[in-house]
Amino acid sequence: MDKSSPVLVSGGTGYVASWIIHDLLKAGYHVRTSVRDKSNITKYQHLLNIEAETEGTLEVFEADLLQRNAFIKPVDGCEVVFHTASPFKVGSVKNAYRDLVEPALKGTENVLNAALQEASVRRVVLTSSVVSVFGDAIEINDTPQHKFTEENWNRTNTESYQPYNYSKTIAEKKAWEIAKLQEQWQLVVINPGFVMGPSLTARKDSTSIDFMINLTGGKFKTGVPDFYYGVVDVRDVAQAHIKAAFNPETSGRHLLVNETISILDFAAIIRSEFPELPLPKRLVPKHLFYLLGPLMGFSWKYIKNNWGIKYAFDNSYSKSDLGIKYRKIKDTLTDHVNQLKRDHLI
Ligand code: NAP
């Protein structure tokens, strides 16, 4: 690919997008990114700093996911479009349609429709999620190999039950629907698990960062629920997007998960490197969590279908198609905690 032709990454202020942009700038690409409010430079100053230190160049556009034609100008002349921007909020949300479903779905339509109108586009890489693949951990019992694969789709979440998962599922479905109507560009989808690892900003409101601050800062010290998450390093996620964009042989969906661990496992791994941190050492009793969980956005149904159920993903396609070599979880978590300490967030 000609490195002078621009590539667009939507949502440059985000945790994941920032690492994609970092790697693209380091590789010398001309990167465009969209932000919601261009006048709020503090939200993307880190990208300007990376641009100053690398060969690549950066152009910042203002675009809201809900504005119909907002992405026409940023996409103009691009060969590759990475669509990463989407609200990531779990737990209690005030209005699931307005806060999650609408921006995820309309954003995908608006970005992909802009790509349809621009003849230069050859590839669209969409950041989906493992939550488009399954709804509740209990669904692992219906999988033949006891592993979720790219064949699986989340069929159980709705706007009122795990709305973030629902928003990602319908957005990815919409992307495949639009992609199948044309032959100009190919869609490649990345489905990361829970993304961890150092952030390029000191921003606290990203869900991955917020989780880590709470875990290491003592909020869950008295105990945690017995839930499991498939974990992946943010730097591996960025590389997966880049491989998907520039290797024309890649195709389809890609589960991007290193390992599935419990919240208590997170704490134990971190404690082995940072014994001074106020990390949880025990589980909250399940009956107590039935009382507390709903106050934190965990319904009884969610607790019933997820508590204590370990599940797994088949990540072999990410290795064979994208050539991903996963970092060790211990390095991911250690680097993340070191970044939080460096930025005085814990
Ligand atoms: P993040 O740090 O919260 O970033 C979300 C980005 O989306 C921000 O740039 C945000 O802009 C933008 N955005 C949200 N609503 C918008 C709107 N209406 N118009 C324009 N931009 C909007 O979250 P992240 O972890 O980087 O997530 C990025 C992507 O990865 C999302 O698609 C998410 O679903 C996916 N993903 C994340 C994880 C994870 O564990 N982090 C796992 C799987 C998939 P503002 O800065 O203006 O708010």
Side-chain angles (χ1 to χ4, degrees):
M1 178 177 153
D2 174 10
K3 283 196 178 173
S4 64
S5 79
V7 299
L8 172 69
V9 183
S10 68
T13 56
Y15 169 54
V16 169
S18 291
W19 271 105
I20 300 173
I21 294 171
H22 168 276
D23 288 3
L24 289 166
L25 289 173
K26 230 177 129 188
Y29 284 96
H30 176 56
V31 183
R32 287 181 181 172
T33 193
S34 64
V35 297
R36 260 196 273 200
D37 176 7
K38 201 177 163 186
S39 68
N40 191 352
I41 296 177
T42 46
K43 269 190 152 183
Y44 60 88
Q45 183 62 49
H46 60 290
L47 301 177
L48 302 175
N49 297 345
I50 298 165
E51 184 202 20
E53 289 163 10
T54 53
E55 264 185 53
T57 48
L58 181 72
E59 255 182 296
V60 181
F61 290 75
E62 192 167 274
D64 193 292
L65 292 172
L66 296 172
Q67 282 166 349
R68 202 153 174 261
N69 292 321
F71 289 89
I72 305 271
K73 248 171 95 180
V75 168
D76 181 23
C78 290
E79 277 188 37
V80 173
V81 173
F82 298 90
H83 179 39
T84 297
S86 199
F88 176 29
K89 290 178 205 149
V90 287
S92 314
V93 280
K94 277 194 189 132
N95 180 328
Y97 178 75
R98 185 198 60 204
D99 299 341
L100 291 167
V101 175
E102 190 182 23
L105 187 60
K106 289 206 173 141
T108 301
E109 282 174 334
N110 291 337
V111 173
L112 270 60
N113 282 333
L116 284 181
Q117 290 180 44
E118 187 47 58
S120 58
V121 179
R122 294 277 164 269
R123 231 152 222 259
V124 174
V125 182
L126 175 78
T127 317
S128 186
S129 171
V130 293
V131 301
S132 301
V133 165
F134 79 107
D136 286 312
I138 200 163
E139 292 161 29
I140 197 68
N141 297 332
D142 303 328
T143 60
Q145 309 287 333
H146 229 70
K147 279 181 179 175
F148 293 116
T149 73
E150 284 86 2
E151 297 286 307
N152 297 114
W153 277 96
N154 180 340
R155 296 179 207 283
T156 50
N157 293 161
T158 63
E159 203 173 296
S160 55
Y161 179 58
Q162 301 211 62
Y164 167 69
N165 299 9
Y166 178 69
S167 78
K168 295 302 288 179
T169 308
I170 57 167
E172 190 192 328
K173 280 192 173 157
K174 178 55 76 179
W176 283 116
E177 200 181 297
I178 296 172
K180 280 174 185 153
L181 294 175
Q182 53 85 55
E183 288 179 350
Q184 179 201 320
W185 42 261
Q186 282 179 308
L187 176 68
V188 186
V189 174
I190 306 297
N191 303 80
F194 197 22
V195 185
M196 290 283 123
S199 171
L200 290 168
T201 76
R203 203 176 150 178
K204 293 192 278 191
D205 58 349
S206 213
T207 294
S208 295
I209 314 298
D210 181 60
F211 170 84
M212 200 59 158
I213 291 174
N214 288 336
L215 184 71
T216 54
K219 190 169 176 186
F220 308 140
K221 199 176 166 227
T222 51
V224 285
D226 196 12
F227 295 143
Y228 287 79
Y229 298 101
V231 179
V232 61
D233 191 295
V234 67
R235 296 160 290 188
D236 293 341
V237 177
Q239 272 305 304
H241 282 76
I242 287 172
K243 298 262 171 68
F246 301 119
N247 180 352
E249 305 300 316
T250 60
S251 63
R253 308 174 89 194
H254 301 83
L255 278 171
L256 209 73
V257 175
N258 186 0
E259 239 181 86
T260 303
I261 59 172
S262 69
I263 307 179
L264 219 45
D265 295 332
F266 271 89
I269 296 168
I270 297 168
R271 188 179 305 105
S272 68
E273 284 296 309
F274 304 95
E276 74 284 6
L277 291 175
L279 290 151
K281 288 187 177 152
R282 61 187 73 84
L283 294 176
V284 183
K286 191 174 178 183
H287 65 272
L288 189 59
F289 200 71
Y290 268 111
L291 293 176
L292 299 174
L295 305 173
M296 297 183 251
F298 296 102
S299 65
W300 286 0
K301 182 176 171 184
Y302 180 84
I303 300 167
K304 183 171 157 277
N305 290 342
N306 292 277
W307 186 279
I309 304 171
K310 182 155 186 177
Y311 52 94
F313 297 93
D314 180 351
N315 65 5
S316 55
Y317 189 57
S318 67
K319 293 177 184 164
S320 63
D321 198 51
L322 302 173
I324 294 299
K325 290 191 178 76
Y326 290 96
R327 279 166 205 259
K328 291 196 182 92
I329 287 202
K330 188 168 184 179
D331 293 346
T332 301
L333 301 182
T334 303
D335 292 352
H336 200 162
V337 174
N338 278 326
Q339 175 257 318
L340 296 179
K341 281 176 169 261
R342 205 169 44 243
D343 288 331
H344 307 291
L345 295 174
I346 52 169

